Amino acid sequence: MSLYAVQVLTGQEAEVCRRLADRRIATLLPQERRLIRRGGAWREEPYTLFRGYVFVDTEAPLPIYYTVRGQDGVMRWLGASPGTPEALSAREEANILWLAGDGPLPPSEAEVQADGTLDFTSGPLAHLRDLLEKVNRHDRRATVRVPVGGEDKTITLSYRLNGRQETASNAAAGTPRSVNTADIF
């Protein structure tokens, strides 16, 4: 099987996947259990990682091309020329398959090092460490660039702190600046 990226209207990814599954077309929708702070507590909620994209898993896209294209919310298949489906590269496919997994990914785990930097010890951010772009410590989110269809797509993943927690002076200091990868590792 090969993976193909299909652009859909943002916010309709899950609905498009459901309708395609009803037609026995295999799809992937990478999601995470996003950490969101509400009412003073961190909660986990499902969040689609590639907003506006659904991934179709098929041997041959041509027999299902019009079935997929005809769904409400589907805009186009990604490919080198408009409307021509093009399979993702082996590296891109491996990343999407890993991110899709068996369901929404858990938040990554991070430890604060003695020098104040973060070390991602488990989860998607540990796996995608080489693609890390920036970290927002206030929102507990990190941005990575993942190639899809020959283009880098930016996705944001959440993390939780374990081990040595933030100190009260750190937590009350306000919104820390975003950090580049070079500052972390």
Side-chain angles (χ1 to χ4, degrees), residues 12 15 24-25 27 40 59-60 62 80 84 87 92 97-98 102 110 114 123 128 136 143 145 159 162 168 172 185:
Q12 293 191 16
E15 180 62 23
R24 298 180 187 213
I25 297 173
T27 59
E59 280 293 324
L62 296 180
T84 306
E92 294 169 341
L97 288 170
W98 189 84
D102 293 332
L128 299 171
N136 180 331
T143 305
R145 285 196 176 270
Y159 66 90
N162 62 12
F185 301 104

Side-chain angles (χ1 to χ4, degrees), residues 21-133:
D22 289 347
R23 288 167 178 75
R24 298 180 187 213
I25 297 173
T27 59
L28 295 171
L29 184 62
Q31 292 184 318
E32 77 160 337
R33 294 189 322 246
R34 170 77 39 107
L35 287 171
I36 298 175
R37 189 166 176 93
R38 286 207 183 109
W42 290 97
R43 296 187 169 118
E44 293 182 6
E45 296 180 9
Y47 184 83
T48 301
L49 295 177
F50 293 94
R51 306 287 288 172
Y53 294 94
V54 167
F55 300 93
V56 176
D57 190 6
T58 183
E59 280 293 324
L62 296 180
I64 63 169
Y65 177 87
Y66 289 107
T67 303
V68 173
R69 183 71 179 91
Q71 297 301 308
D72 287 340
V74 171
M75 296 168 63
R76 67 185 179 105
W77 289 76
L78 292 188
S81 57
T84 306
E86 186 175 325
L88 300 180
S89 71
R91 179 178 172 219
E92 294 169 341
E93 185 173 330
N95 281 336
I96 298 301
L97 288 170
W98 189 84
L99 287 168
D102 293 332
L105 293 169
S108 296
E109 299 287 332
E111 291 183 358
V112 179
Q113 302 299 305
D115 62 358
T117 60
L118 291 178
D119 180 32
F120 295 105
T121 57
S122 68
L125 290 171
H127 178 75
L128 299 171
R129 179 176 284 140
D130 296 338
L131 304 173
L132 190 65
E133 199 166 82

